[in-house]
Amino acid sequence: MNILELVLTPALILCIISLPFIAFLGKRKSPKKARNAIIANLCSFFAVLALAVIFPIGGFVSAETAEATAQAVNNNAGLAYIAAALAVGLGSIGCGIAVASGAPAAIGAVAEEPKSFGKSLIFVALGEGVALYGFIIAFMIIGKV
């Protein structure tokens, strides 16, 4: 595969999936229509993905990669990589949610009383620690592969 295909394909998929969000943010659709468009878009994406897995287009897999793939499937290394990606991704999302609610409150508390800086810094750091825990778990999972 060409490096251009490896970069453009995910970018194209991301653009196609995000089109209903852009239409909703541009106030061109009501929330119900936007929700239906997102659901239809995700269903069509996963349908195309399933068809691509069921009916692969030939010429992309050689004998060496087929043997390597069979070996990776046998020892479940693929599932370990998915688990590591989920640990980092979900940990980062959780960190973003925690910092998004904790940091503004901490800034407001410091603005009212500067002595509360240390306490507010601890709350923000605890939220950021969630991402670090996910990152450490991902390294532990990959280390076992």
Side-chain angles (χ1 to χ4, degrees):
M1 261 201 208
N2 190 352
I3 191 71
L4 191 60
E5 292 173 351
L6 292 174
V7 173
L8 285 180
T9 304
L12 181 65
I13 290 170
L14 184 66
C15 288
I16 290 172
I17 289 177
S18 64
L19 283 176
F21 294 108
I22 295 169
F24 175 69
L25 292 176
K27 304 290 184 199
R28 291 186 211 142
K29 289 190 174 190
S30 67
K32 186 174 182 177
K33 286 184 180 179
R35 187 191 66 178
N36 291 340
I38 291 168
I39 290 171
N41 203 347
L42 286 175
C43 289
S44 64
F45 171 73
F46 285 116
V48 169
L49 188 66
L51 288 174
V53 170
I54 293 170
F55 304 113
I57 298 172
F60 292 120
V61 179
S62 65
E64 292 121 13
T65 57
E67 291 171 6
T69 304
Q71 184 180 5
V73 168
N74 288 338
N75 64 8
N76 294 330
L79 291 176
Y81 292 131
I82 290 173
L86 284 173
V88 172
L90 294 175
S92 298
I93 290 171
C95 168
I97 292 170
V99 171
S101 62
I107 291 170
V110 170
E112 288 182 10
E113 187 176 337
K115 292 180 182 178
S116 66
F117 177 73
K119 292 178 186 176
S120 61
L121 185 65
I122 290 172
F123 286 115
V124 174
L126 285 174
E128 292 175 2
V130 174
L132 291 176
Y133 295 141
F135 196 62
I136 291 169
I137 294 297
F139 270 118
M140 291 171 62
I141 291 171
I142 291 174
K144 295 282 183 179
V145 173

